[in-house]
């Protein structure tokens, strides 16, 4: 039975479900951006990113309800340094009112880099939520664009299916995983980070720890996959 009432309840039906002591908590696993460009050798490589693939496959055996997100950019995406004359990877720009760090070209729609890792088990996924499709704004979270206007539909999908608890894993801990966790909390889900099933970009050393601290401070629970 939930003790904390979520910040945002979207519909009355979900509120009744959430407060019903007899309702089963439905758990969902959200797999964030386990794509080739985030693997060693990829365009935006995350160190040891491939090591979480077997861990996530094992984790999937423990869930009936699994969804995935996919970074899915058009070639003219505003987060790519090469689309801004004279700008380099790692520099910041103002992208339509949002402070944006510039990335190498990555996860372009239809390319190998945007595909999921070949060994990642995909057969039991209910749905894939693509993000970062609007060239004018980046989208780290699997729920909303960074300007909080675009909505992938993930939140309403989970609520429609009576999901109350979400377990989040994937890449990268300090970007897309973190922002997916923070939005899940804001959307009222009981939110777990499966820490050993994530890896960080670590542009600055210590970014992994900072991300974990922020998620904990904002109400997430950090767990290890062996204990689920
Ligand atoms: C990501 C940077 C840019 C991620 C996606 O999946 O963490 N990071 N696009
Ligand atoms: Zn991206």
């Amino acid at each position: 039975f939930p003790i904390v009432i979520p910040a945002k309840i979207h519909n009355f039906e979900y509120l009744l479900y959430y407060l019903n002591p007899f309702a089963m908590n439905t758990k969902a696993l959200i797999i964030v951006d386990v794509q080739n460009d985030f693997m060693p050798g990829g365009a935006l490589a995350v160190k040891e990113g491939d090591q979480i693939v077997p861990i996530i496959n094992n984790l999937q055996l423990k869930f009936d309800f699994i969804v995935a997100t996919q970074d899915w950019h058009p070639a003219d995406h505003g987060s790519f340094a090469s689309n801004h004359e004279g700008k380099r990877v790692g520099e910041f720009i103002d992208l339509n009112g949002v402070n944006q760090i510039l990335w190498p070209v990555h996860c372009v729609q239809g390319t190998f880099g945007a595909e999921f890792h070949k060994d990642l088990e995909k057969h039991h996924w209910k749905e894939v939520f693509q993000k970062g499709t609007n060239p004018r704004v980046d989208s780290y979270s699997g729920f909303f664009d960074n300007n909080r206007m675009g909505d992938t539909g993930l939140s309403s999908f989970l609520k429609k299916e009576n999901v109350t608890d979400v377990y989040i894993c994937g890449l990268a801990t300090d970007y897309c995983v973190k922002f997916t966790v923070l939005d899940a909390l804001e959307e009222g889900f009981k939110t777990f980070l499966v820490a050993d099933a994530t890896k960080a970009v670590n542009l600055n050393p210590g970014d992994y720890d900072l991300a974990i601290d922020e998620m904990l401070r904002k109400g997430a629970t950090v767990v290890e996959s062996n204990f689920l």
Side-chain angles (χ1 to χ4, degrees), residues 38 44 71 73 79-80 103 106-107 131 138-140 176:
F38 300 121
L44 209 173
D71 213 34
H73 299 306
S79 76
F80 299 164
W103 299 108
H106 66 279
C107 297
K131 63 188 183 60
D138 210 354
S139 184
Y140 294 146
C176 292

Side-chain angles (χ1 to χ4, degrees), residues 64-222:
D64 293 324
F65 197 110
I66 307 169
V67 297
T69 70
Q70 187 175 30
D71 213 34
W72 192 247
H73 299 306
D76 64 346
H77 197 261
S79 76
F80 299 164
S82 59
N83 289 331
H84 303 275
E85 222 186 291
K87 293 287 175 190
R88 272 179 295 195
V89 171
E91 287 184 57
F92 284 86
I93 60 158
D94 177 291
L95 185 61
N96 301 301
V98 179
N99 193 34
Q100 172 72 49
I101 192 165
L102 293 173
W103 299 108
V105 174
H106 66 279
C107 297
V108 174
Q109 297 172 6
T111 65
F112 173 77
E115 287 173 22
F116 295 108
H117 189 285
K118 67 171 176 24
D119 297 334
L120 185 66
E121 178 59 60
K122 307 160 190 82
H123 291 103
H124 306 291
W125 297 355
K126 300 242 186 242
E127 194 76 67
V128 172
F129 292 86
Q130 296 178 327
K131 63 188 183 60
T133 57
N134 178 350
R136 297 169 53 82
V137 62
D138 210 354
S139 184
Y140 294 146
S141 155
F143 291 94
F144 304 107
D145 290 341
N146 293 0
N147 62 9
R148 312 220 31 101
M149 303 223 283
D151 179 350
T152 63
L154 174 56
S155 186
S156 57
F157 181 80
L158 296 173
K159 288 177 179 177
K160 185 182 84 223
E161 302 282 342
N162 293 326
V163 169
T164 51
D165 299 8
V166 295
Y167 290 74
I168 298 174
C169 64
L171 301 170
T173 326
D174 41 355
Y175 289 94
C176 292
V177 169
K178 181 182 88 172
F179 285 99
T180 302
V181 164
L182 298 183
D183 278 348
L185 287 164
E186 275 201 41
E187 285 298 299
F189 298 102
K190 185 155 177 44
T191 305
F192 298 83
L193 172 79
V194 190
D196 60 316
T198 75
K199 292 283 179 189
V201 176
N202 280 328
L203 280 182
N204 303 298
D207 280 355
Y208 173 85
D209 294 319
L210 286 173
I212 297 281
D213 287 348
E214 185 177 354
M215 290 184 268
L216 282 170
R217 201 166 57 225
K218 293 186 172 159
T221 304
V222 176

